[in-house]
Amino acid sequence: MHIRDDWFTVERIDEDTFAISEYGHWENVHSYLLIGGRCAALIDTGIGISDISDVVKRITRLPIKVLTTHVHWDHIGSHGRFDDIYVHELEEEWLTDGIPGLPLEQIRRDVGRDISIPVPPSFDPDRYEPFRGKPTALVRDGDTLDLGGRALTFLHTPGHSPGHLCIYEEKRGYLFTADLIYKGTLYAFYPTTDPSRFVRSVEKVNGLPFVTRLLPGHLDLGLDRAFMADVGRACRQLAAAGLDRHGTGVHEFGSFQIYF
Ligand SMILES: [Zn+2]
Ligand SMILES: [Zn+2]
């Protein structure tokens, strides 16, 4: 299968797992499509510059469950195109009412800047509205979902946001890390973040028994367990030095940074 799209880049991770990426935007956001025997899971829906459901429909006709890693605008962009939406219970209100104190102007500035490829004519950053709507399912730590021969576990990994989820497919050793771990600047400096929880969440995923591959929400796609261990060491270092709190700034670790 070869999918061509002007905005999205589709990469096949394996037979029935796809990364759907937005390399034309400075954030390099990744969403993931996991095909099961009964239904498919779409982990996040991208920025919303282009409609991700068009690409998804070209890959599968199965019913889609949208699994929200966290309710930041760059991960819920096309939520409005789907009916079945999962979110952690602590971010239900963000999904229905938006994030308190985050100005729409700032979101519009960030969505519209540093775009390197042509956008669809329908996209206007000055009119961009982050998705708001009701989820159909609320999840908690340890909940599982069976797509039909593919079992997923939701791991509550707060810190970057209060209801942040990593999604773990133990059988294949896939860990979808969203904004907890990627190869860039990891953020936990907003008022709604929590550096010490972030550190604990990184520790939690490092304790998983079997991880073959990390599938992050941004930037480099091919991350392995060793990278997760590097981030773990960095977090332990910061905690030991008492730096796992707001306002301590950008901490540099070579291939990644941690911004508290
Ligand atoms: Zn985020
Ligand atoms: Zn993000």
Side-chain angles (χ1 to χ4, degrees):
M1 185 187 312
H2 189 68
I3 302 282
R4 279 188 62 89
D5 184 272
D6 290 337
W7 179 254
F8 295 102
T9 301
V10 179
E11 284 166 73
R12 205 166 195 167
I13 306 291
D14 65 26
E15 192 63 20
D16 41 23
T17 309
F18 300 82
I20 307 175
S21 307
E22 298 176 69
Y23 293 113
H25 187 268
W26 64 278
E27 287 204 9
N28 285 201
V29 173
H30 308 294
S31 307
Y32 297 94
L33 182 66
L34 284 61
I35 315 287
R38 234 187 353 261
C39 58
L42 179 61
I43 298 178
D44 291 341
T45 60
I47 301 171
I49 287 176
S50 185
D51 178 1
I52 204 169
S53 74
D54 289 341
V55 175
V56 169
K57 272 185 226 145
R58 277 148 55 197
I59 303 172
T60 182
R61 287 281 165 185
L62 285 170
I64 304 290
K65 293 182 181 299
V66 168
L67 313 183
T68 312
T69 62
H70 64 300
V71 182
H72 283 164
W73 58 269
D74 48 336
H75 298 267
I76 59 170
S78 289
H79 268 41
R81 314 297 299 177
F82 300 92
D83 300 322
D84 199 359
I85 294 171
Y86 288 53
V87 73
H88 189 276
E89 57 183 3
L90 290 178
E91 289 184 19
E92 178 186 15
E93 250 172 60
W94 283 9
L95 204 60
T96 51
D97 305 336
I99 300 179
L102 177 58
L104 184 57
E105 300 70 52
Q106 189 191 325
I107 295 175
R108 287 178 173 169
R109 255 198 318 276
D110 282 337
V111 76
R113 71 181 168 90
D114 300 318
I115 295 176
S116 55
I117 62 174
V119 294
S122 56
F123 174 65
D124 176 359
D126 297 330
R127 289 201 190 155
Y128 180 87
E129 294 280 350
F131 169 80
R132 286 189 188 189
K134 282 194 181 310
T136 42
L138 298 179
V139 303
R140 293 182 185 176
D141 184 51
D143 283 355
T144 57
L145 175 68
D146 186 0
L147 307 176
R150 283 189 91 169
L152 306 178
T153 305
F154 295 96
L155 303 174
H156 185 213
T157 46
H160 176 77
S161 70
H164 187 281
L165 291 165
C166 289
I167 294 163
Y168 181 41
E169 185 173 17
E170 187 174 7
K171 200 169 171 191
R172 299 184 196 205
Y174 290 172
L175 182 64
F176 298 88
T177 55
D179 285 12
L180 180 67
I181 297 178
Y182 53 77
K183 208 178 217 169
T185 303
L186 303 168
Y187 293 92
F189 68 91
Y190 309 121
T192 49
T193 65
D194 185 328
S196 66
R197 285 214 163 118
F198 182 89
V199 164
R200 286 205 294 278
S201 293
V202 169
E203 217 157 280
K204 177 175 176 168
V205 292
N206 267 293
L208 290 170
F210 178 61
V211 175
T212 57
R213 184 163 183 174
L214 305 193
L215 296 141
H218 297 273
L219 303 164
D220 268 21
L221 258 188
L223 303 182
D224 59 13
R225 177 148 207 151
F227 182 74
M228 180 163 76
D230 288 346
V231 178
R233 259 190 301 280
C235 281
R236 277 196 300 281
Q237 232 177 72
L238 292 176
L243 293 169
D244 53 339
R245 54 197 166 76
H246 278 150
T248 60
V250 181
H251 306 284
E252 178 64 54
F253 295 96
S255 64
F256 64 95
Q257 298 76 37
I258 299 177
Y259 189 0
F260 287 158

